[in-house]
Amino acid sequence: MASAAIFSSLRRRRSPSLEAFLAPVDLSSEALLDTLRAVSRELVSSFSVNNRMVPFFQGKNFRSLIRKIQVFSVLLDSFCEVGLSRMPSKVFLCFKELYLVLYRSKILLYYVKGSSKLWLLLQNHSISGHFHDLNQEILTLLDVFPLSEIYISQDVKEQVELLRKQSRKSKLLIEKNDDILRMKFYNFLNELENGKVPDQNELYLFFVEKLAIRDVKSIRFEIEFLEEQIVNCEGDIEPTASVLNGFVALTRYCGFLLFRFEDEEGELGKWRHKKTKKGLITQEIADTFITIPKDFCCPISLDFMWDPVTVSTGQTYDRLSISRWMEEGHSTCPKTGQMLVHTRLVPNRALRNLIMQWCLANGIPYDPPESVDSSSESYTAALPSKAAMEATKATADLLVERLASGTEKAKTVAAREIRLLAKSGRENRACIAEAGAIPCLKSLLSSSDALAQENSVTAMLNLSIYDKNKSRIMDIEGCLGSIVEVLRSGHTTEARENAAATLFSLSAVHDYKKQIAEEDGAVEALAGLLIEGTPRGKKDAVTALFNLSTHTENCVRMIESGAMTALVGALGCECVSEEAAGALALIVRQPVGAEAVGNEEMAVAGLIGMMRCGTPRGKENAVAALLELCRSGGSVATERVRKAPELAGLLQSLLFTGTKRARRKAVSLARVFQRCEYSSLHFGGMGVGYAFAGNSTSVRDSGFAGDVAVSISVPVL
């Protein structure tokens, strides 16, 4: 018998049941017979040619296997009629083999029926081989089946004997017309590889006339199914993931070229309902694609780190991103603002090993770089094929054309498609921007149609993740103001939240932080969203405010706009308290910020509350904020912090149980208190303990409070 591993290359949405690979050992002969009859009847009734369950491709192989199973079903029924008591032991052994054959047939039949037309076309030879292998298994089973030794009707014996003869004559069947279509599909890809976009009439003939893909729903299913195969590949997929990406891009182009992605009336509403049902926007990707852990994303580009390296401040970035940052003349750490002592990039092998394990577990190709050159090779290998790029460019040109001169409905559809196209891949984002999408999306931000506005601002967010697009957005006159206006008074909650996330993405560039903060109403709107928004809205707002607070010249603006008050209030909100404390730690580094925070009644209490109940990172940020408040706020602020109830015990606890950075900050804060005139009266004998700990080289604080620990990334929507 052929091994059950023959189906290991099939890309299944659900893993097959264990019964497909193991013969039953604990069933009686009667129970096994009943199971075989049930399975065979299920397959015959489910895939009968009369109920239109035959797939578009592999029809002959499909029908042939069903006919064989029908004969087995008749044979099994005859055993039920005569009983098993007089049957030889060989029959029971054959039943066990038949059990495996039926379950493997079930897997193959359901797989073929549930697959997309294009996938069946691409897998034409492979799937035909699976049908042929099953036929060989059936032939082997029939050859050893003791037909002459069993007491069943002659009519049934003749059917079984006929099946054996037919199976012996059966050969590998690859339908000629199907293979011609398969080669045609590859020819389209070859044309794109050569820089030529296939003719529209030929595409129409192929997709609509030959494959009967005649509406938006069908083309979307084809695209999603091919994308699913790429995500689920385990390294042995054929065609390769790179080639499949080309087919996905080609199919997406055809979808818009032939159908404009406009369904019957109500399609847009149904699409939006599906989206909002998901809740957090990242769920859209989580349900279809793999969600990248935030710690695996570069803080600069916010893309996956193929080659993580550490700079002198201890922060980790992707080598390409931090190298570009340094080449542009920056001498500070992008995340902390600290001066870089040297420009040496140290590979973060621990994180790289975690990334490798994660990629392996999720079937993502990853070639670990050993040097700058190998990193470049790995990066190049990850790029999409030329065919995929050409198809994406053609799609982007079509979409931008509709954005610029289409009807209002057409513009909404185009914005939606750009949103989806830009949610993955920097190359896609680059193609869309180069086609001129950003000015058109900007004009749609002020649309009175809620869905059009939501799609345009979300598309703008997805495009902004690519570094070069940030400058393209900021350089367009009025574009930043339009994004802020959506944040202030957008038609939907999702539009306002995505506008906030867009500001966060843009503020990753240091030079834009001051420009964003000075935009009329920007900081006020972020503060308002932090106070009154949904959990996701609060997260978007606080991460944007954190980024803005890393620019020293934004401190006064943050205070005047009410952002500082909103951050203090957010200390009591579990979902954003870490980021709020981190932003406050940056603001209080300046005397004016320390004074403003010190005047907030709940500021010190909120930070101490975080030291008591917060996460390890939250505690770090809270003690760092208190330390900087004392350093920059003078004796009044120091006295207010020093007299806070529970602080002494919390510092003592943090000194022994906190993270390394938290312990360092706790020691520094204790030193500040020791220099106060009445510290010994307030803390009793604890000062000596802190003095001893403070002399330890393992917990010495650098005196710079800029190393605020906040892990944030841009959501892709």
Side-chain angles (χ1 to χ4, degrees):
M1 293 292 172
S3 169
I6 61 172
F7 297 117
S8 62
S9 63
L10 294 181
R11 302 287 164 234
R12 306 180 187 90
R13 293 184 175 185
R14 294 186 179 88
S15 298
S17 59
L18 191 61
E19 291 88 341
F21 304 100
L22 299 175
V25 294
D26 57 348
L27 291 180
S28 65
S29 57
E30 290 79 7
L32 180 56
L33 177 60
D34 290 341
T35 301
L36 292 174
R37 293 179 66 208
V39 175
S40 61
R41 285 181 176 181
E42 175 197 343
L43 295 179
V44 171
S45 62
S46 297
F47 299 109
S48 171
V49 294
N50 296 325
N51 61 13
R52 301 180 182 178
M53 288 293 288
V54 178
F56 193 83
F57 293 114
Q58 296 293 337
K60 291 182 180 179
N61 284 323
F62 197 91
R63 284 188 288 266
S64 175
L65 182 56
I66 291 296
R67 283 194 292 267
K68 291 179 174 68
I69 295 173
Q70 284 176 321
V71 174
F72 280 119
S73 181
V74 171
L75 175 63
L76 293 169
D77 287 342
S78 66
F79 277 110
C80 190
E81 294 173 1
V82 300
L84 297 175
S85 58
R86 301 171 59 188
M87 298 299 171
S89 59
K90 289 181 184 179
V91 172
F92 188 64
L93 294 176
C94 289
F95 277 178
K96 289 185 176 182
E97 292 299 334
L98 180 58
Y99 181 92
L100 297 178
V101 169
L102 288 179
Y103 264 99
R104 292 170 195 164
S105 299
K106 181 177 179 179
I107 291 172
L108 183 58
L109 292 172
Y110 275 105
Y111 174 79
V112 171
K113 184 56 188 174
S115 295
S116 74
K117 294 177 181 178
L118 292 176
W119 179 248
L120 290 178
L121 201 60
L122 293 172
Q123 298 296 309
N124 191 32
H125 288 206
S126 174
I127 295 176
S128 295
H130 292 318
F131 277 108
H132 182 65
D133 289 342
L134 266 175
N135 181 76
Q136 295 303 108
E137 288 194 47
I138 290 172
L139 175 60
T140 303
L141 174 61
L142 292 175
D143 282 341
V144 299
F145 196 84
L147 191 61
S148 60
E149 302 177 28
I150 58 178
Y151 299 95
I152 57 175
S153 69
Q154 188 62 31
D155 180 58
V156 174
K157 286 186 176 182
E158 289 176 359
Q159 290 186 53
V160 174
E161 185 61 35
L162 179 61
L163 176 60
R164 177 162 31 196
K165 292 179 180 179
Q166 291 175 343
S167 297
R168 187 170 287 115
K169 294 178 181 179
S170 179
K171 297 180 181 179
L172 174 66
L173 174 61
I174 299 176
E175 297 188 43
K176 183 178 179 181
N177 290 336
D178 294 355
D179 216 37
I180 292 174
L181 288 175
R182 174 176 169 272
M183 295 308 299
K184 185 65 175 178
F185 200 25
Y186 271 97
N187 286 338
F188 288 144
L189 207 63
N190 289 335
E191 288 184 38
L192 288 168
E193 285 284 354
N194 295 325
K196 178 186 176 183
V197 179
D199 180 72
Q200 180 176 352
N201 292 329
E202 290 189 16
L203 292 173
Y204 180 88
L205 181 64
F206 178 80
F207 280 91
V208 179
E209 298 294 336
K210 298 295 185 182
L211 300 188
I213 300 174
R214 298 190 174 101
D215 54 38
V216 174
K217 184 178 180 181
S218 299
I219 201 78
R220 285 200 188 282
F221 174 74
E222 297 291 334
I223 293 171
E224 291 169 3
F225 194 93
L226 292 180
E227 288 176 333
E228 186 178 340
Q229 309 319 305
I230 298 171
V231 171
N232 293 339
C233 75
E234 300 166 0
D236 61 345
I237 193 171
E238 181 62 38
T240 64
S242 177
V243 174
L244 276 179
N245 274 319
F247 283 126
V248 169
L250 169 61
T251 307
R252 183 181 289 112
Y253 167 70
C254 292
F256 198 80
L257 177 69
L258 302 178
F259 309 116
R260 301 297 183 184
F261 278 143
E262 290 185 37
D263 258 348
E264 64 278 359
E265 203 67 33
E267 168 67 16
L268 296 180
K270 285 186 286 185
W271 177 84
R272 181 166 177 259
H273 175 72
K274 177 182 177 182
K275 300 292 292 178
T276 53
K277 183 179 178 182
K278 294 287 185 180
L280 293 181
I281 200 137
T282 51
Q283 281 299 113
E284 175 191 355
I285 301 172
D287 289 347
T288 311
F289 300 96
I290 299 173
T291 302
I292 300 175
K294 292 191 291 186
D295 291 339
F296 295 170
C297 295
C298 177
I300 299 176
S301 66
L302 303 165
D303 279 336
F304 191 72
M305 286 195 285
W306 295 102
D307 187 9
V309 293
T310 302
V311 297
S312 62
T313 61
Q315 300 295 327
T316 298
Y317 304 94
D318 186 66
R319 184 186 295 274
L320 289 174
S321 298
I322 191 63
S323 297
R324 189 186 306 119
W325 171 269
M326 293 178 176
E327 290 169 1
E328 291 173 353
H330 298 290
S331 58
T332 58
C333 174
K335 192 171 182 180
T336 67
Q338 291 178 265
M339 292 295 297
L340 296 174
V341 179
H342 56 74
T343 58
R344 187 168 65 253
L345 302 178
V346 181
N348 190 333
R349 292 187 173 85
L351 179 59
R352 192 171 69 192
N353 288 337
L354 290 175
I355 291 175
M356 288 173 59
Q357 294 172 18
W358 181 84
C359 287
L360 182 63
N362 289 282
I364 298 175
Y366 180 79
D367 184 17
E370 296 298 333
S371 64
V372 176
D373 293 337
S374 63
S375 171
S376 299
E377 292 171 1
S378 175
Y379 174 74
T380 303
L383 292 175
S385 64
K386 182 180 178 182
M389 291 299 302
E390 290 296 327
T392 300
K393 288 178 182 178
T395 305
D397 289 338
L398 280 174
L399 293 171
V400 172
E401 179 185 345
R402 296 297 294 275
L403 270 181
S405 58
T407 63
E408 290 304 313
K409 181 179 178 181
K411 290 179 180 180
T412 302
V413 172
R416 180 190 67 190
E417 295 308 316
I418 288 177
R419 167 184 181 168
L420 296 176
L421 185 59
K423 74 179 182 181
S424 63
R426 67 182 68 187
E427 293 75 26
N428 288 356
R429 294 166 189 145
C431 284
I432 294 169
E434 289 166 3
I438 294 176
C440 298
L441 289 171
K442 180 256 180 183
S443 64
L444 210 56
L445 291 174
S446 57
S447 172
S448 59
D449 182 87
L451 192 56
Q453 184 187 72
E454 183 180 304
N455 283 327
S456 59
V457 73
T458 308
M460 196 78 77
L461 166 60
N462 291 346
L463 291 173
S464 72
I465 296 172
Y466 179 52
D467 284 350
K468 291 183 179 180
N469 287 348
K470 289 178 170 62
S471 60
R472 289 176 172 137
I473 292 171
M474 295 296 289
D475 289 345
I476 295 176
E477 185 178 356
C479 192
L480 176 60
S482 296
I483 295 171
V484 171
E485 188 58 33
V486 175
L487 172 62
R488 295 173 63 183
S489 56
H491 298 309
T492 66
T493 300
E494 187 171 346
R496 294 190 293 273
E497 291 172 346
N498 292 348
T502 306
L503 293 184
F504 162 62
S505 175
L506 296 173
S507 65
V509 178
H510 184 76
D511 294 342
Y512 296 152
K513 293 175 182 178
K514 184 170 172 45
Q515 186 177 345
I516 293 171
E518 291 178 346
E519 184 67 33
D520 185 34
V523 181
E524 289 87 348
L526 288 171
L529 188 61
L530 179 56
I531 295 171
E532 301 177 351
T534 64
R536 195 208 131 204
K538 290 176 182 287
K539 194 79 171 178
D540 290 331
V542 77
T543 51
L545 289 172
F546 176 86
N547 253 13
L548 296 180
S549 65
T550 61
H551 196 296
T552 57
E553 296 182 27
N554 287 342
C555 183
V556 174
R557 183 77 181 88
M558 300 279 282
I559 297 169
E560 294 175 346
S561 64
M564 189 267 298
T565 302
L567 289 168
V568 171
L571 293 174
C573 184
E574 185 178 353
C575 64
V576 294
S577 56
E578 278 186 17
E579 294 86 352
L584 288 172
L586 296 172
I587 291 174
V588 298
R589 284 169 50 192
Q590 300 184 57
V592 63
E595 181 182 358
V597 173
N599 291 333
E600 288 285 334
E601 284 189 26
M602 299 304 298
V604 174
L607 291 170
I608 291 177
M610 281 199 66
M611 289 179 62
R612 181 172 57 252
C613 304
T615 62
R617 183 169 290 172
K619 292 178 180 179
E620 289 180 12
N621 290 345
V623 72
L626 291 174
L627 174 61
E628 282 305 303
L629 179 60
C630 293
R631 284 176 170 172
S632 303
S635 59
V636 176
T638 303
E639 187 68 12
R640 184 171 183 178
V641 174
R642 188 177 64 83
K643 289 184 177 180
E646 300 184 62
L647 181 58
L650 290 172
L651 283 176
Q652 187 73 43
S653 174
L654 200 60
L655 184 63
F656 292 104
T657 63
T659 63
K660 182 177 180 180
R661 175 177 172 269
R663 296 197 304 270
R664 191 172 69 243
K665 297 298 179 183
V667 168
S668 297
L669 187 55
R671 285 175 176 166
V672 172
F673 293 154
Q674 288 169 3
R675 291 193 289 268
C676 294
E677 183 179 357
Y678 303 106
S679 62
S680 61
L681 295 176
H682 188 72
F683 284 95
M686 291 180 62
V688 177
Y690 281 115
F692 177 79
N695 291 330
S696 172
T697 57
S698 64
V699 292
R700 184 171 299 159
D701 184 34
S702 64
F704 190 92
D707 51 334
V708 178
V710 177
S711 178
I712 46 182
S713 62
V714 177
V716 188
L717 309 153

